[in-house]
Amino acid sequence: MNRVSLSACAAALLFLNNGTGIAQTLPANNPAWARAVNLMPLINPDTDAIRGKWSIQAGKLVSDTEGWARIQIPYEPPEEYDFRIIITRSSGVNDVCQFFSQRGRPAMWIAAVNNTFCGFQMVGGKSVTGNQTTVRTENCLKIGQTATSLLQVRKNGVKAYLDGKLVSQWATDFSDASLDTPFWSMPDKRLLGVGSHKSSFVYHRIELLEITGKGRTVPRQEIITSKPQPEKQTTDVKPRSESGTQRTRVSSLADPALQKDAKNFARMQSIIKGLYVTRMGTGQRLGGAQDIFATVEPYRTGYETTWRFATTVRSDTRISLNEAAHLVKVRYPIWKAGYHIRFSYSDKYSMQSGGSAGGAMAVLFMSLFDGFQIDPTYAMTGDVTVDGKIREIGAAAEKIRGAVLEKCKIIAIPEANKENLNDLALLYSPAMLWSAQLFSIATLDDAVAVARQDRAENLAKAVALFAEVQTRLNPNSSITVLRSPQVYQPLREVLRLAPNHLSAEFMLRTANYQLSNVLSLQASMEEIWAAAGPMMFTLYSIRMTDAKKDEAASPIRIPAETVKIALDRLTWLDPRLHPKTKELKAAMADYVSSFDDLRRQTPLTAAATEKHQAKKDKLLGEINKIGTDRKILEEMMH
């Protein structure tokens, strides 16, 4: 919900880097490509084309000029890989596309939109015409020109190269990735694909290089196509006007013989608290918790049970619900027919976005089927994938802080986010570690175990024992108190009973002086950016020396109190920042201070504006330096 998959400052760094025209060149004729998988022989235009007229001519794939033409390739990629196409534009000035997926989450790269810009789509529900990956590339693919487009797909992001030069990159866990439906929808979201829009292309080579894991050729009988075979006793009906995610239908799953073994509903409604984060106009991120409801409603006898949202949500939120449902379908393939499962939020008037509620939705499904009661004081965050794993999310510290303010007593976060508790303690207070009981969850089963009121014996004992420890602490309790026998020994017992009890683990780290005294690199970047948030929009305003002579090019005046608040926050952050961000912080402080200098200048002199511009250029230089540092980018992505 409102998930931030990469810090805003990091996204801005990547965008600025791309916008400055700085490019990185890949090694030419890399010998690793000798072991690449040649995907061209797998393609059969007669069965694989989704839209448009596709053909194989002299061993090359050719598209026509139809709009949104696309073809899927019967190949499921590995976890990490390079996906390369070599193409020639035959006609038109519009797009050429590559469809890719990461752990079953689909996305696409669009190059040469109007032969003017490129980017990934959809990114957090935003199209290629306006998201943080969009880059201008004038006349990058002319008629008759042959070019190489390469995607490097990794667990934590993807990079796009044109003719060996880095054009754009997207740091993401792919929970904010989706396809633009209905224009660019692909029936089987696992598979690779290529496409074009109102332009004809020749695809000379389509190949994949495995980096981590193994890909596989998918047998055609397993592939979901746009032309489904008619199913016996199957009749499609129009979906309801609400924002449904599935078409209601009579199907073989509703067959009376199969329904004898169907999983019935043990509850007709379950409620869970999901965590979210909201970015304010000042750059600050505020967390919170809200109720998510799953309600089973009778629909039509004999029709397959489906699921839907009660209100319109972003595409990434729909994807997370579908993934949760498919995970539960793996466990319980046949559901009691004749129902809709309706998902809704306590904040029913706001557009919900992000995939971090996927895990909570999976727990709701399990509660409906297995009948367990969810602890009303429990809240959680974490995306989910069909293999049952709870995936990493963004803004964990802010979400936990918001949950505590909402009086949640037991809070679960993805195991991959556990080290964010160090940022939580530094940014707010070590007392955040005992203000609620914090748990890590790696799988759906972990989430269910913590969420249910009738917890397993050891887990229930751990929760009760920690609650006793909480009564011995207050917001100002010191390390001396944590090291006292009446606190330290029970914490060790809590951790023995529940090894995923993060509060106990990090309190023991604090007591043993093992908690880091600096923020993570990503948190440091985020906090520097947020501290100066009200002034950040001025970074991209017109440069004084570039303004036309008849334009007013004076810098924007910032109130003294706004400047003071920003400087005070940067000063407070200074000893807590990651060492790699110290120079960025110094340049940011100088830039913010320069607004105070401008305010005192009456009238404004040319010397003052040039001094302000120099500090602005220095800050942009620091941003650019970080944005081109491979080690820093990799640390933020991994």
Side-chain angles (χ1 to χ4, degrees), residues 413-549:
I413 65 171
E415 185 178 48
N417 287 103
K418 65 180 289 186
E419 294 305 323
N420 292 145
L421 264 63
N422 189 83
D423 294 335
L424 176 74
L426 283 173
L427 288 173
Y428 300 106
S429 163
M432 293 297 299
L433 300 174
W434 57 84
S435 296
Q437 301 202 40
L438 309 177
F439 286 85
S440 66
I441 47 176
T443 66
L444 173 59
D445 290 335
D446 293 341
V448 167
V450 182
R452 60 193 301 157
Q453 277 194 321
D454 58 336
R455 299 181 179 97
E457 182 180 0
N458 279 359
L459 185 55
K461 286 181 179 178
V463 170
L465 182 55
F466 190 85
E468 292 179 16
V469 172
Q470 287 176 304
T471 65
R472 299 167 191 155
L473 301 169
N474 62 60
N476 299 315
S477 294
S478 65
I479 290 181
T480 302
V481 175
L482 296 181
R483 292 178 65 85
S484 66
Q486 59 267 38
V487 173
Y488 193 88
Q489 293 305 325
L491 287 178
R492 293 185 62 184
E493 178 63 10
V494 168
L495 201 56
R496 185 191 70 80
L497 292 168
N500 62 328
H501 200 297
L502 293 181
S503 288
E505 178 183 342
F506 276 78
M507 288 168 69
L508 289 170
R509 286 195 199 182
T510 303
N512 294 324
Y513 300 97
Q514 294 174 341
L515 207 63
S516 174
N517 60 359
V518 298
L519 296 167
S520 64
L521 176 58
Q522 182 164 323
S524 296
M525 300 277 292
E526 186 72 52
E527 290 300 315
I528 292 171
W529 211 256
M535 281 149 279
M536 285 304 92
F537 72 94
T538 64
L539 270 180
Y540 317 112
S541 59
I542 191 167
R543 181 184 172 92
M544 260 60 97
T545 55
D546 293 339
K548 296 178 182 178
K549 292 181 179 180

Side-chain angles (χ1 to χ4, degrees), residues 63-264:
S63 69
D64 69 352
T65 57
E66 186 169 343
W68 302 285
R70 54 201 185 277
I71 188 169
Q72 62 184 12
I73 303 169
Y75 187 85
E76 184 175 1
E79 186 173 37
E80 296 184 314
Y81 56 97
D82 290 358
F83 178 25
R84 183 168 74 172
I85 62 174
I86 300 176
I87 51 175
T88 299
R89 182 191 292 278
S90 301
S91 67
V93 294
N94 274 297
D95 329 354
V96 63
C97 314
Q98 288 170 265
F99 296 87
F100 62 99
S101 68
Q102 215 286 332
R103 297 193 297 269
R105 293 189 177 277
M108 65 185 296
W109 163 251
I110 304 183
V113 181
N114 293 323
N115 219 5
T116 302
F117 56 90
C118 306
F120 293 98
Q121 177 170 296
M122 308 282 282
V123 177
K126 295 181 180 180
S127 74
V128 69
T129 57
N131 62 58
Q132 69 262 32
T133 71
T134 305
V135 181
R136 292 191 69 85
T137 51
E138 300 283 354
N139 295 318
C140 60
L141 286 176
K142 300 176 182 177
I143 293 177
Q145 175 186 347
T146 298
T148 299
S149 176
L150 168 67
L151 301 182
Q152 293 186 330
V153 183
R154 302 296 183 262
K155 290 182 291 186
N156 294 315
V158 56
K159 296 181 178 180
Y161 295 80
L162 279 178
D163 290 331
K165 293 185 177 181
L166 178 62
V167 177
S168 182
Q169 50 192 328
W170 176 17
T172 178
D173 62 359
F174 295 91
S175 63
D176 55 346
S178 61
L179 297 179
D180 183 12
T181 56
F183 303 107
W184 289 114
S185 61
M186 295 289 274
D188 199 321
K189 295 177 173 56
R190 302 170 297 166
L191 306 184
L192 300 176
V194 293
S196 61
H197 177 58
K198 297 182 179 180
S199 300
S200 177
F201 282 89
V202 175
Y203 298 79
H204 303 275
R205 293 188 64 84
I206 305 175
E207 53 194 353
L208 179 140
L209 182 63
E210 296 170 333
I211 304 298
T212 302
K214 297 290 291 183
R216 73 180 185 107
T217 301
V218 180
R220 296 196 181 277
Q221 62 268 26
E222 294 182 17
I223 295 175
I224 301 171
T225 70
S226 61
K227 305 169 185 177
Q229 294 298 315
E231 198 172 328
K232 188 177 180 180
Q233 295 183 351
T234 297
T235 305
D236 286 334
V237 299
K238 292 181 179 179
R240 288 188 173 184
S241 59
E242 296 178 280
S243 57
T245 57
Q246 302 293 308
R247 292 179 65 85
T248 306
R249 59 179 185 154
V250 180
S251 77
S252 58
L253 294 180
D255 185 276
L258 290 177
Q259 282 291 304
K260 292 179 181 179
D261 299 319
K263 183 68 175 177
N264 205 346

